[in-house]
Amino acid sequence: MERGNTKQEILEASLELFSVQGFEATSISQIADAVGIRKASLYSHFDSKQAILDTLVNQVLEKYGKHSIFSRTDWEKDAASLPLTSDAAVQMIQGQIRYILHDPTIQRARKMLVIEQFQNPELAKLQTKQNYSDVLAYFTGLIQSMIRKGVLAEDDPEIMAAQFCLPISVWINLCDREPEREKEVMALVERHIRQFFRVYGAESAFARIESTNREAER
């Protein structure tokens, strides 16, 4: 087997083991056994288990940056992809959820972070960044852009973003634990997004204001 292929197999086997039993609980011997090589051979590719983890994190972040919508937060540059209707938002978000749930590398990396978030300070920071800070920043930027476009009524964009994205994060975690519920979750996501547009849509807000004004005049 070529050296480059062996190195990638080591990374893939390590991520699988880390996602199931955690980084600390996984030994170099277990990784070598999973690949089908001697422990000494593994050390010709990586000098430590930490070196394997560091390489994995860099690979996952690079892949996530290329394919995840949450890695983009500059809506001035990405205005063409701005979802201006509930239909467009449903399609965009459901597509991202499917990517997160079904891409093997992203799926395993996410599970590894869940296991390690209370044991490894660096991975805890990465978990917060990937699954909270970046997601909230992305949706805050998205909401602000839709407000500027007149799609949504003006309100606190960060709170609107939290109301929009945090339930979706909970449903993704539910699918991780119970993958058979994905169809149910996708239906919930669609209902959630459509209700959000009904509640915060600019036309709905205008109608509420008009109704309030009429009531005040009576």
Side-chain angles (χ1 to χ4, degrees), residues 72 75-85 88-89 92 138 141-151:
R72 303 192 307 269
W75 282 106
E76 293 299 324
K77 294 181 179 178
D78 294 330
S81 59
L82 189 70
L84 300 179
T85 66
M92 182 184 76
Y138 170 85
L142 173 63
I143 297 296
Q144 287 172 331
S145 296
M146 288 197 287
I147 289 173
R148 287 196 296 270
K149 288 283 187 180
V151 177

Side-chain angles (χ1 to χ4, degrees), residues 4 14 72 135 140 193 209 213-214:
S14 298
R72 303 192 307 269
V135 174
T140 300
I193 293 172
I209 292 170
N213 290 341
R214 285 195 297 272

Side-chain angles (χ1 to χ4, degrees), residues 69-112:
I69 62 174
F70 301 143
S71 65
R72 303 192 307 269
T73 57
D74 191 343
W75 282 106
E76 293 299 324
K77 294 181 179 178
D78 294 330
S81 59
L82 189 70
L84 300 179
T85 66
S86 60
D87 286 343
V90 168
Q91 184 177 4
M92 182 184 76
I93 300 304
Q94 285 186 335
Q96 180 66 15
I97 292 172
R98 290 188 182 98
Y99 167 68
I100 288 172
L101 291 178
H102 295 292
D103 182 276
T105 301
I106 299 302
Q107 180 192 68
R108 290 168 184 155
R110 191 174 63 257
K111 290 179 179 179
M112 177 185 71

Side-chain angles (χ1 to χ4, degrees), residues 53-192:
L53 179 63
D54 292 342
T55 303
L56 274 174
V57 168
N58 288 334
Q59 279 193 356
V60 170
L61 289 177
E62 182 179 359
K63 183 172 187 178
Y64 187 79
K66 288 179 179 178
H67 298 287
S68 173
I69 62 174
F70 301 143
S71 65
R72 303 192 307 269
T73 57
D74 191 343
W75 282 106
E76 293 299 324
K77 294 181 179 178
D78 294 330
S81 59
L82 189 70
L84 300 179
T85 66
S86 60
D87 286 343
V90 168
Q91 184 177 4
M92 182 184 76
I93 300 304
Q94 285 186 335
Q96 180 66 15
I97 292 172
R98 290 188 182 98
Y99 167 68
I100 288 172
L101 291 178
H102 295 292
D103 182 276
T105 301
I106 299 302
Q107 180 192 68
R108 290 168 184 155
R110 191 174 63 257
K111 290 179 179 179
M112 177 185 71
L113 290 179
V114 169
I115 294 172
E116 291 298 319
Q117 63 184 316
F118 301 112
Q119 305 176 82
N120 186 311
E122 291 304 313
L123 292 184
K125 291 177 184 177
L126 183 59
Q127 166 77 338
T128 298
K129 181 179 185 299
Q130 294 289 102
N131 295 292
Y132 177 74
S133 304
D134 284 357
V135 174
L136 190 59
Y138 170 85
F139 280 105
T140 300
L142 173 63
I143 297 296
Q144 287 172 331
S145 296
M146 288 197 287
I147 289 173
R148 287 196 296 270
K149 288 283 187 180
V151 177
L152 300 179
E154 191 159 349
D155 211 316
D156 185 325
E158 188 172 5
I159 296 302
M160 291 169 68
Q163 291 171 344
F164 188 95
C165 72
L166 295 185
I168 295 173
S169 295
V170 171
W171 287 325
I172 290 172
N173 291 335
L174 175 62
C175 283
D176 281 337
R177 293 189 300 274
E178 302 177 41
E180 70 278 4
R181 300 183 69 174
E182 181 179 338
K183 185 176 179 180
E184 172 195 348
V185 162
M186 286 299 190
L188 285 169
V189 168
E190 179 172 356
R191 287 165 53 198
H192 170 64

